[in-house]
Amino acid sequence: MIYRAVAAITLMLVAAATSALATESIVCSAEGDAASIDVLMGNTAAIAVARVWLDAGGKTWTTDGQPGSTKVIVGQAFEDDQHMAIDLTDEGISSIVAKLRLVKAREQSNFAMGGTLSIDGVGAWAVTCPEP
């Protein structure tokens, strides 16, 4: 009985460590660095946004509440083979602060991803995202 408990705990720790290592960062930016977004994704079967950093108009928003930034929350996220959409809300989840909409394309060894980033009251930009 104790062996099973130890084995179960060991498996959970290994799974947790493996998940922490299996991440990728998607960085998208507008021309002239007018705006940028860095999304740290968990590498799972479903979209899992671990952290977001967003900069535009001299302001910064983060999901981890870094000093000097405005805290936002991932309101919803969607990804399939051709699209990705992420909405960030205010802390009270009462309004959408930012929207990221991306289109993905892959042909042979070539990959392209880009779309739009809009921030309420700040602006909207076309963004490109190099392959993660």
Side-chain angles (χ1 to χ4, degrees):
M1 193 99 158
I2 293 174
Y3 174 75
R4 286 185 185 173
V6 170
I9 291 170
T10 302
L11 285 174
M12 286 189 299
L13 291 173
V14 168
T18 303
S19 295
L21 296 173
T23 59
E24 66 182 8
S25 189
I26 298 170
V27 179
C28 304
S29 59
E31 187 174 323
D33 291 327
S36 66
I37 186 167
D38 182 338
V39 181
L40 182 65
M41 309 278 292
N43 194 359
T44 62
I47 188 170
V49 178
R51 177 188 50 80
V52 176
W53 289 58
L54 175 61
D55 293 301
K59 298 179 183 177
T60 303
W61 297 261
T62 64
T63 53
D64 53 5
Q66 290 292 314
S69 71
T70 301
K71 185 164 175 58
V72 291
I73 296 170
V74 177
Q76 64 180 351
F78 167 81
E79 181 180 32
D80 63 17
D81 291 344
Q82 298 178 352
H83 304 94
M84 180 185 294
I86 298 173
D87 289 345
L88 302 171
T89 70
D90 61 5
E91 281 191 275
I93 314 173
S94 60
S95 64
I96 295 175
V97 173
K99 296 178 184 178
L100 178 65
R101 301 293 184 263
L102 300 175
V103 176
K104 302 185 284 185
R106 182 177 301 279
E107 185 63 39
Q108 297 179 12
S109 64
N110 298 316
F111 177 81
M113 184 163 54
T116 60
L117 171 63
S118 60
I119 304 171
D120 188 43
V122 179
W125 302 267
V127 294
T128 56
C129 319
E131 184 172 14

